[in-house]
């Protein structure tokens, strides 16, 4: 929602694991992260984490729920 005064972070927002794409790239490395994720998918051991829920304002002063998935969940969903 534009015009609320808060920046739109979108894909940069961390999920319940508090990891962003940037922190994964800096701490683990993209290739290692993707290799581990690929292996979990092959072995059918990947389990998505619960989404991080945030309430965001709507027009008229009401709030709505916004679910923020983890980076791994976003990657798997984009397959």
């Amino acid at each position: 929602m534009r015009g609320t005064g808060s920046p739109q972070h979108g894909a940069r927002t961390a999920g319940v694991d508090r990891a962003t794409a940037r922190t994964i790239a800096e701490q683990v490395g993209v290739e290692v992260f993707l290799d581990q994720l690929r292996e979990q998918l092959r072995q059918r051991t990947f389990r998505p984490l619960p989404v991080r829920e945030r309430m965001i304002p709507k027009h008229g002063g009401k709030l709505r729920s916004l679910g923020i998935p983890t980076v791994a969940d976003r990657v798997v969903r984009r397959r």
Side-chain angles (χ1 to χ4, degrees), residues 19-36:
T20 63
R22 175 178 281 175
T23 59
I24 289 171
E26 292 171 352
Q27 295 175 2
V28 180
V30 175
E31 292 301 319
V32 172
F33 172 76
L34 292 175
D35 287 343
Q36 291 171 348

Side-chain angles (χ1 to χ4, degrees), residues 15-58:
V16 294
D17 61 358
R18 300 289 187 197
T20 63
R22 175 178 281 175
T23 59
I24 289 171
E26 292 171 352
Q27 295 175 2
V28 180
V30 175
E31 292 301 319
V32 172
F33 172 76
L34 292 175
D35 287 343
Q36 291 171 348
L37 188 56
R38 192 176 299 116
E39 191 59 30
Q40 289 177 7
L41 291 169
R42 279 192 193 122
Q43 293 179 0
R44 297 184 180 270
T45 58
F46 175 80
R47 297 291 177 260
L49 293 173
V51 296
R52 180 174 159 207
E53 189 175 350
R54 286 287 178 246
M55 299 303 286
I56 61 171
K58 288 177 59 173

Side-chain angles (χ1 to χ4, degrees), residues 1 56-64:
M1 173 189 261
I56 61 171
K58 288 177 59 173
H59 292 288
K62 294 186 178 182
L63 296 175
R64 79 170 179 95

Side-chain angles (χ1 to χ4, degrees), residues 37 41-42 73-79:
L37 188 56
L41 291 169
R42 279 192 193 122
D73 294 342
R74 292 177 205 174
V75 171
V76 170
R77 188 173 29 173
R78 290 204 68 135
R79 298 185 330 141

